[in-house]
Amino acid sequence: KRVDKRVVVDWNNLLKLGYDVEGGGRYNKYIESGIVEMLPMGEEVGGLLGTVDPSLSKFGAKWGGVKVRLGTTDSIAGFIGATHGVDGGVGVAVTSLGTTMAIKIVSEETIFDDRRGVYSHVLPGYIVGDEEKEIVYLAGGASQGGCRVLRDL
C-alpha cells in the first residue's frame, strides 16, 4: 500500500530503521536529515491495508473483497506461535531460527541498546496470567546468522 507515494509497512519491520513506535510513530533519528519522506510509513501490526480487487486477482471473484492486513517479522510470528496456549508473562522467552536467529523476552518496559543490537517490539493484547495487557514489549535482538545456519542444514 502507498500513501502519498510512500510504502506502508508494519512497525515491527521498521525498528531497525530507527522507527519510534512509542514516540508518535516517527523516525526521530532522521528528522533533521530530510530523508524521512523517503522512508516507509509505519502502521500497527495487523492493520488493514485494503481488500483484494477481484479484477486484479487471477482467481477473480473468489478472492475479491478478501482483507489484506499488515504482517510482522518472522521472529515475532515465531514467538506468538511458540507461546500460544502457554501461561505466559514477563520473563517468557523464545529463541527462533528463521531469516535471522533471534531471541525475544516479554518485558513491561522497552529496552534499547544500539551498541549491542537490543531493541523492543510492541506486542499489544498479550495475556499475562489471567489478565490481558494492553501493551507489553518483546525485548531482544537478532543476528543475520539464521540464514547461514539454515543453509548448512
Side-chain angles (χ1 to χ4, degrees), residues 19-64:
Y19 189 79
D20 184 1
V21 176
E22 290 196 303
R26 297 184 302 255
Y27 294 98
N28 293 330
K29 294 179 183 179
Y30 306 113
I31 287 176
E32 298 195 13
S33 70
I35 68 165
V36 171
E37 291 76 28
M38 296 185 285
L39 297 171
M41 292 176 63
E43 291 197 13
E44 183 176 2
V45 173
L48 182 63
L49 282 175
T51 57
V52 174
D53 181 336
S55 68
L56 300 177
S57 169
K58 71 178 184 177
F59 299 105
K62 180 178 180 179
W63 291 101

Side-chain angles (χ1 to χ4, degrees), residues 11-12 44-45 122-127 132-137:
W11 59 36
N12 284 338
E44 183 176 2
V45 173
V122 173
L123 186 62
Y126 186 74
I127 306 296
E132 181 174 345
K133 297 282 189 175
E134 188 172 325
I135 291 179
V136 295
Y137 303 94

Side-chain angles (χ1 to χ4, degrees), residues 110-133:
T110 59
I111 302 170
F112 287 95
D113 185 339
D114 289 341
R115 293 182 305 125
R116 292 181 176 87
V118 176
Y119 50 92
S120 297
H121 292 276
V122 173
L123 186 62
Y126 186 74
I127 306 296
V128 176
D130 293 331
E131 180 183 344
E132 181 174 345
K133 297 282 189 175

